[in-house]
Amino acid sequence: MGILPLRLPAGTTPQSLALTVVDRVGITLDPSRLEPRGPVRVAIHRASGRVEAFEATAAIETSLEVETLAKGGLMPLILDRATRAEAANLTAE
């Protein structure tokens, strides 16, 4: 529902990341470049100021999942498709 699932690199686990409530996780990804099983740059900003970066893999498998994420989730995708269909019907009349 608008959340990009990621596969961590081999040898990296949620436990080994040792995230705390004050850590911030950021991703660097141009949405137009999102693709199934594509690379995603991840940075963990620790409270100490240290930044740990690694490359994860987008855990998406289809172009529909890419489109859903690009629209911000399932509901925005459905609304976008419905409004486009309605606009097409109005111009066809």
Side-chain angles (χ1 to χ4, degrees):
M1 296 303 236
I3 297 173
L4 177 61
L6 297 174
R7 285 191 186 102
L8 297 173
T12 303
T13 65
Q15 294 78 18
S16 71
L17 292 174
L19 295 174
T20 68
V21 295
V22 293
D23 294 331
R24 291 179 301 125
V25 178
I27 63 169
T28 303
L29 176 69
D30 178 351
S32 68
R33 294 180 168 263
L34 180 61
E35 60 185 30
R37 290 174 250 114
V40 178
R41 194 80 182 138
V42 177
I44 300 173
H45 301 266
R46 304 289 184 178
S48 67
R50 192 176 84 237
V51 177
E52 299 171 26
F54 58 89
E55 190 171 278
T57 302
I60 55 176
E61 302 297 324
T62 67
S63 58
L64 177 58
E65 289 176 290
V66 171
E67 184 181 3
T68 301
L69 287 165
K71 294 294 181 189
L74 190 56
M75 290 307 295
L77 174 67
I78 292 169
L79 289 172
D80 180 65
R81 286 184 172 184
T83 55
R84 285 181 192 223
E86 182 64 26
N89 287 339
L90 290 174
T91 58
E93 293 176 356

